[in-house]
Amino acid sequence: MGILSQEDSDYLKKELEKITNNVIIEFFSTDNKDKCEQCDNIRAIMKEIMDLTDKVSLKEFNIDKDKEKAEKYNIKMAPVLIFNNKDNGNIKFYGVPSGYEFSSLIEDIMDIGTGNIEFDEGVEEKIKAIDEDVNIMVFVTPTCPYCPAAVRTAHKFAMINPKIKADMIESYEFPEIADKYKVQGVPRVIINEKDGFEGALEQEKFLEKIIENL
Amino acid sequence: MILNLDKNKKTVSDNYDAVIIGGGPAGLTAAIYLGRARIKTLVIEEMIPGGQAATTVRLENYPGFPEGIGGAELGSLMEKQAKNFGADIIYDNVIDVDFKNEEKIIKLNKREIRSKIVIIASGAKPRKMHVPGAEEFEGKGISYCATCDGPLFRDKNIAIIGGGNSAIEEAIFLLRFVKSIIIVQDLPKLTAEKILEERLIKHKNVKLTFNNKILSINGEKEIKSISVEKTNSKKKMDIPAEGIFIYIGYIPNTDYLKGHIELDKFNYVKTNENLETNIKGVFAAGDVCKKTLRQVATAVGDGAIAAFMATKYLENEGG
Ligand SMILES: Cc1cc2nc3c(=O)[nH]c(=O)nc-3n(C[C@H](O)[C@H](O)[C@H](O)COP(=O)(O)OP(=O)(O)OC[C@H]3O[C@@H](n4cnc5c(N)ncnc54)[C@H](O)[C@@H]3O)c2cc1C
C-alpha cells in the first residue's frame, strides 16, 4: 500500500500529466540518525510522486558530506527538499512535507512544472521589482490547516524572484529553531530574521509585510 | 496525507442561481443538494473546506464512520462530492452583501457576484478571551487551535480553559505532546460528553479544577500562570501553566451581514424552522444560525433543508 489512496493517486497522476518542464528536486539527508528519523519518510513521499510521472526527478545529497553544495544553497539543517530548477535553491522544505504540507509540495511541483503560477492582481510585478535579499521562513506543523496558504505564498514569491528565499520549516521536527524564533503559533512567518507575523495573509498583505521588513 | 489541490484555479462566472457563503459541513451539504437539483451553484469559502470541522483531528460522533474520521478528510470529501454534482467553489472572502433587491449581490475582495438566492453558512469561530494578558500572549503561548499549534507544546505543562466538548476532545489530542494538562472550568462540572470525560480522566497527567473565574494571564516573556477567583469562596489563586488553549465557546461569523439581515442579540442569524431568514430568497444553515446544538450532524441536516427550501423558492419565484 502506498501513502496515497488509489483515488488520490489516480487524480494526482492526471494532474502531473500537465507538467511540461522537468522538475528537479534535491534532497539533503544527514548522518545524524536522530535528525534523519524522517528521511525515509521523505524518500517514500518522493517515490510515490515519481512513480506517477517521469517529469519529476530527485537527487540525493548529504549535508555532512556535500558541504560545498550545502553551503552554496545556504542549507541550515537536514533533512531538506530543495527545488532546484534554476540552480538557485531558493525554495525549500525543511522536514517532511506531510499532512497538509503534502499539498504544498504538489502545488509547487505543478507551478514549476507548468510555469503557470497564479497571483492576485498587481502582486506579480511588485514581487519581481524587489531588488534586495529577502529571507522568508514559514514555520508550520503538519496538522495545521491554515499553514499551506502561507507556505505557498512564500514559495510562489521565490519562484519569480531569485532574491527571495523561502523556507518551510516543520516545527515539530526542528524544535531548536522553532524555539529560537519563539514559535508558539503557526503559521509563523519570519522575514529577514525579524518577527514577521502569524497567520495566513493574502498575497498583497504578505507583500506589504515583506516591504516593511526590508 | 491530505490532498487538497486546485484552490483558486477555477475561473467562476459573476452570475449564479445560488450562492453559498461558507464551505463548512452546512455549506457543502447544501451544495450537494443544489448541484443534484441542477441549480447553478457557487460556494465561497475563505479558508479551507470543512470549516471548523477541519480544525479538529478526529470526529467520532458523525454517523457512518465507526472508527471516526479526520475532520480535514471529511471536509475534503464533502468538497469533492459537491464538485462531483457540479457546484463551483472559490476561495475568497465575502466582505459585504446587498440583499435589497430581488437579485442578491455578494461582495468579495475584488469582485461582486450576483445570485437569485443565497444560503448563509459562514459558521462560527472561537470566542476570544478578554482578560489582561490574553491578547498579549495570543500566538505566544495562548492558542485557539490545538490541532494547529499542539505540536509546539511538546513536554510543556499546559492549561485548557473550558470544559465542553471541544475543550475535552482537544485535551485528549494534546496529551500526545504535552507533559501535563490542567482543565480550568468555570462551572462545577464538565459539560462535555460523558465518554470524553471518562477517557480524559484515565490519564494520570490530567487534573481538573472547577468554579474558576479567570482574572488574568501572567508572565513576562513567556506565560507563567493564570490568576483565578473561586466563584464560591471568592478566594484568589494562581494556576501555573506554560501554555494555554482556550475553548470557551464560539461567536458567529456574521459581521458582513450586519444591517442586511435579522440577527439575534448574540449575532446569530434568525431563521424559521425552514431556515428562511427575514429576507426572501436568503436562507441560513449550520452554526451561524440561532439553534440549540452546533455539531457536524446538525449542520449537515440544516444544509439539506436550506437547499431544499431554496430549490422550491427558485421553482416558484425564479421560474
Ligand atoms: C475544535 C472543534 C472540535 C469539534 N468537534 C466536533 C465533533 O467532534 N463532532 C461534531 O459533530 N462537531 C464538532 N465540532 C463542531 C463542528 O465543527 C461545527 O458544528 C460544524 O463545523 C459547523 O458547520 P458549519 O458549516 O455550520 O460552519 P463552519 O464549520 O464554521 O464553516 C463555516 C465556513 O464559512 C467560512 N466563512 C466564514 N465567514 C466567511 C466569509 N465572510 N466569506 C467566506 N467564507 C466564510 C469559514 O471559513 C468556514 O469554513 C467541533 C468544532 C471545533 C471548533
Side-chain angles (χ1 to χ4, degrees):
Chain A
M1 257 285 292
I3 302 165
L4 290 167
S5 68
Q6 191 58 45
E7 198 192 352
D8 280 345
S9 150
D10 290 346
Y11 173 75
L12 192 54
K13 193 177 162 84
K14 264 211 203 113
E15 277 294 297
L16 293 167
E17 273 165 17
K18 297 179 192 153
I19 295 181
T20 47
N21 318 324
N22 288 327
V23 180
I24 302 159
I25 302 178
E26 294 178 347
F27 171 48
F28 280 76
S29 59
T30 160
D31 289 337
N32 181 335
K33 285 239 163 53
D34 288 344
K35 288 275 163 228
C36 229
E37 218 173 87
Q38 296 292 343
C39 287
D40 279 341
N41 239 336
I42 296 177
R43 292 185 190 107
I45 287 173
M46 287 308 303
K47 180 172 183 310
E48 187 105 3
I49 297 168
M50 289 186 301
D51 283 347
L52 300 174
T53 173
D54 52 13
K55 291 275 200 286
V56 177
S57 63
L58 184 75
K59 267 189 230 154
E60 183 163 338
F61 299 92
N62 181 306
I63 192 171
D64 308 301
K65 298 193 179 90
D66 303 296
K67 284 202 175 109
E68 209 173 298
K69 195 167 170 81
E71 213 159 281
K72 178 173 169 201
Y73 298 132
N74 192 23
I75 292 169
K76 301 185 211 93
M77 54 211 179
V80 60
L81 284 171
I82 309 169
F83 280 89
N84 209 5
N85 269 40
K86 293 188 180 143
D87 194 31
N88 181 0
N90 61 337
I91 299 163
K92 298 189 183 80
F93 286 91
Y94 284 106
V96 200
S98 67
Y100 280 101
E101 294 309 330
F102 181 63
S103 297
S104 303
L105 176 69
I106 298 292
E107 288 181 1
D108 276 3
I109 291 175
M110 292 306 298
D111 278 359
I112 293 172
T114 60
N116 184 2
I117 311 166
E118 295 200 10
F119 290 95
D120 293 342
E121 225 178 285
V123 171
E124 188 170 357
E125 298 72 27
K126 288 183 197 149
I127 288 293
K128 282 186 173 155
I130 293 176
D131 193 27
E132 284 173 64
D133 289 324
V134 182
N135 269 302
I136 308 172
M137 290 189 273
V138 183
F139 287 91
V140 305
T141 64
T143 46
C144 159
Y146 309 109
C147 290
V151 171
R152 287 278 296 141
T153 301
H155 278 181
K156 280 182 175 187
F157 288 178
M159 284 174 201
I160 56 165
N161 185 336
K163 295 233 158 190
I164 299 177
K165 298 187 173 55
D167 302 344
M168 179 213 83
I169 302 173
E170 211 285 89
S171 313
Y172 196 61
E173 262 177 79
F174 297 103
E176 316 81 31
I177 171 153
D179 279 351
K180 180 177 163 200
Y181 291 97
K182 300 206 168 15
V183 178
Q184 292 192 310
V186 285
R188 160 78 54 195
V189 180
I190 307 280
I191 298 168
N192 284 351
E193 297 288 314
K194 278 172 256 174
D195 189 22
F197 57 91
E198 189 194 329
L201 294 185
E202 287 163 41
Q203 292 183 353
E204 206 165 303
K205 302 233 171 77
F206 199 129
L207 169 64
E208 276 169 25
K209 291 281 179 189
I210 292 180
I211 291 167
E212 269 171 37
N213 282 294
L214 280 182
Chain B
M1 214 60 53
I2 299 148
L3 197 59
N4 182 20
L5 306 174
D6 245 349
K7 294 203 168 165
N8 289 325
K9 294 250 167 79
K10 182 123 191 129
T11 39
V12 296
S13 93
D14 293 329
N15 277 287
Y16 280 87
D17 292 333
V19 163
I20 299 168
I21 304 175
L28 292 172
T29 304
I32 291 169
Y33 277 75
L34 290 171
R36 289 172 65 82
R38 294 284 182 249
I39 288 164
K40 192 180 173 201
T41 302
L42 174 71
V43 179
I44 305 167
E45 166 55 52
E46 65 179 347
M47 295 298 290
I48 43 170
Q52 294 171 78
T55 67
T56 188
V57 169
R58 219 156 183 77
L59 297 155
E60 294 188 345
N61 54 4
Y62 185 65
F65 301 95
E67 313 293 323
I69 178 155
E73 194 186 346
L74 183 66
S76 54
L77 287 172
M78 287 180 177
E79 184 192 32
K80 233 184 232 170
Q81 201 171 350
K83 280 186 180 164
N84 284 349
F85 293 122
D88 287 345
I89 298 185
I90 50 164
Y91 289 85
D92 207 330
N93 178 10
V94 176
I95 50 175
D96 199 3
V97 292
D98 184 345
F99 293 157
K100 279 198 286 294
N101 301 312
E102 210 177 298
E103 185 179 63
K104 316 288 183 267
I105 304 174
I106 300 99
K107 299 179 184 170
L108 309 181
N109 277 315
K110 281 180 186 138
R111 63 191 294 186
E112 288 184 5
I113 291 175
R114 282 153 204 276
S115 180
K116 289 181 191 152
I117 69 113
V118 173
I119 296 180
I120 297 165
S122 45
K125 59 175 177 241
R127 175 185 297 283
K128 297 269 164 105
M129 178 127 213
H130 296 289
V131 298
E135 209 171 307
E136 208 181 312
F137 284 114
E138 192 176 329
K140 304 191 170 81
I142 291 182
S143 169
Y144 292 88
C145 180
T147 313
C148 312
D149 302 331
L152 306 169
F153 290 80
R154 175 161 34 196
D155 297 329
K156 294 255 157 76
N157 298 302
I158 63 153
I160 291 180
I161 300 181
N165 274 344
S166 306
I168 306 310
E169 264 170 25
E170 302 308 308
I172 293 167
F173 166 69
L174 285 167
L175 281 164
R176 294 185 202 179
F177 309 108
V178 303
K179 191 194 273 175
S180 75
I181 293 182
I182 180 159
I183 308 278
V184 183
Q185 165 72 319
D186 56 348
L187 303 171
K189 60 177 176 60
L190 298 182
T191 54
E193 295 169 338
K194 279 283 170 288
I195 189 170
L196 292 172
E197 180 173 348
E198 285 164 19
R199 211 180 290 161
L200 177 79
I201 55 180
K202 271 198 204 127
H203 292 269
K204 279 197 273 322
N205 48 349
V206 173
K207 283 197 197 119
L208 296 92
T209 162
F210 297 100
N211 300 320
N212 297 291
K213 181 181 168 211
I214 312 286
L215 301 176
S216 64
I217 289 165
N218 321 309
E220 282 176 18
K221 285 205 176 94
E222 281 152 24
I223 292 179
K224 289 220 165 68
S225 67
I226 306 169
S227 296
V228 300
E229 181 186 271
K230 287 292 175 189
T231 48
N232 297 335
S233 63
K234 305 285 171 217
K235 227 172 85 188
K236 293 195 172 114
M237 56 185 278
D238 277 358
I239 301 170
E242 296 169 292
I244 301 173
F245 288 82
I246 300 180
Y247 288 96
I248 53 168
Y250 299 90
I251 53 169
N253 294 317
T254 49
D255 281 352
Y256 69 99
L257 293 172
K258 281 188 186 147
H260 301 290
I261 202 163
E262 203 181 334
L263 305 174
D264 78 353
K265 66 175 176 195
F266 302 110
N267 291 322
Y268 287 98
V269 178
K270 275 196 186 170
T271 67
N272 62 16
E273 74 217 41
N274 287 331
L275 303 183
E276 293 160 318
T277 68
N278 66 316
I279 309 277
K280 270 190 144 184
V282 179
F283 306 81
D287 278 17
V288 77
C289 301
K290 181 175 168 34
K291 66 195 284 195
T292 40
L293 180 65
R294 294 193 174 83
Q295 288 278 283
V296 177
T298 58
V300 159
D302 281 3
I305 295 171
F308 176 73
M309 292 311 295
T311 307
K312 267 179 107 169
Y313 175 87
L314 284 172
E315 278 165 9
N316 297 335
E317 317 263 323

